[in-house]
Amino acid sequence: MQLLKQRIREEGVVKKGNVLKVDSFLNHRIDTQLLDAIGEEFYRLFADAGVTKIVTIEASGIGVAVMAARYFGVPVVFAKKAKTAQLDDEFYSARIHSFTHNNDYTAIISRKYLSAEDTVLVIDDFLANGEATRGLLTILDDAGAKLAGVGIVIEKGFQGGGDKLRAEGIRVESLALIDSMDWETGEIVFRE
Ligand code: 5GP
């Protein structure tokens, strides 16, 4: 998606440790027009996939998921990062290692909001090693839900998570796929 790549080139800040900051339009201030275009693009890609629900993870996935969901006309369910008190059998859960915070947390989704009747599009803001996405896929498996595919705003391809999922036959569509980035020069190279 050219518009997104342009915004990443203009406003993205490459940090040490393979972290890309896009706080000016995605992770802090949200550019609603850009997110709307992103939502429309996910709809174009997955319109025929029979999606009944969009699943994401709090917090940054929610804005993107909601914008996309308006095009699909389906609800969004976001996995919450659990407080231990919530951990009972009313919830599906998965342990996830956070790339940005370098710690583990438990993501939970209520059994009320996901079932074997669902065909799910998983959406997230970033894909790096794939831990967050895999956690959500574990929850979908537990629920018996069908996976339509995974929609990612920015994939850092050099971290390999996306290609591993593709190798397993999962449809992963990333709107901007970064092949390399250099925190010293700020250079970002996209996969075409
Ligand atoms: P993964 O689980 O695929 O390793 O990492 C994806 C998750 O970590 C995303 O949900 C996102 O919140 C966060 N993340 C990973 N890399 C970056 C990054 O370079 N920038 C930002 N802002 N978030 C990232």
Side-chain angles (χ1 to χ4, degrees):
M1 190 181 170
Q2 290 309 325
L3 182 61
L4 171 64
K5 290 185 199 168
Q6 188 187 330
R7 293 293 292 274
I8 295 170
R9 270 197 207 95
E10 287 170 3
E11 296 171 41
V13 180
V14 182
K15 297 284 187 185
K16 217 172 167 177
N18 286 332
V19 173
L20 176 66
K21 297 273 283 185
V22 283
D23 280 4
S24 63
F25 62 86
L26 185 60
N27 293 126
H28 194 7
R29 180 174 62 174
I30 293 178
D31 181 327
T32 52
Q33 277 184 315
L34 178 65
L35 257 66
D36 183 55
I38 285 171
E40 190 175 15
E41 181 65 6
F42 282 133
Y43 181 65
R44 193 184 65 78
L45 290 165
F46 289 101
D48 299 330
V51 173
T52 65
K53 220 162 255 178
I54 294 183
V55 167
T56 187
I57 192 157
E58 66 177 352
S60 294
I62 297 174
V64 183
V66 167
M67 289 299 204
R70 296 186 66 218
Y71 285 92
F72 286 89
V74 300
V76 171
V77 177
F78 64 92
K80 296 188 180 196
K81 295 176 179 168
K83 313 218 172 14
T84 42
Q86 289 171 303
L87 268 179
D88 57 38
D89 54 10
E90 282 176 42
F91 295 94
Y92 302 111
S93 68
R95 286 295 281 174
I96 293 178
H97 181 76
S98 164
F99 171 74
T100 36
H101 299 107
N102 194 25
N103 59 12
D104 291 355
Y105 63 91
T106 302
I108 59 168
I109 290 182
S110 169
R111 288 174 188 268
K112 276 193 289 196
Y113 301 132
L114 199 58
S115 78
E117 313 291 296
D118 284 314
T119 299
V120 173
L121 173 61
V122 169
I123 280 188
D124 205 3
D125 59 340
F126 272 89
L127 178 66
N129 298 315
E131 303 272 340
T133 299
R134 277 188 192 280
L136 295 178
L137 297 187
T138 304
I139 287 177
L140 260 57
D141 266 357
D142 286 353
K146 192 165 159 251
L147 177 68
V150 178
I152 298 292
V153 181
I154 304 173
E155 176 179 343
K156 292 180 295 175
F158 56 89
Q159 289 182 264
D163 286 336
K164 278 194 200 133
L165 292 165
R166 291 183 186 99
E168 291 167 28
I170 293 167
R171 182 174 175 203
V172 181
E173 299 280 2
S174 297
L175 304 189
L177 207 166
I178 296 173
D179 254 343
S180 68
M181 57 188 207
D182 185 331
W183 69 273
E184 284 177 310
T185 62
E187 194 194 11
I188 298 172
V189 178
F190 293 98
R191 196 184 294 178
E192 291 311 327

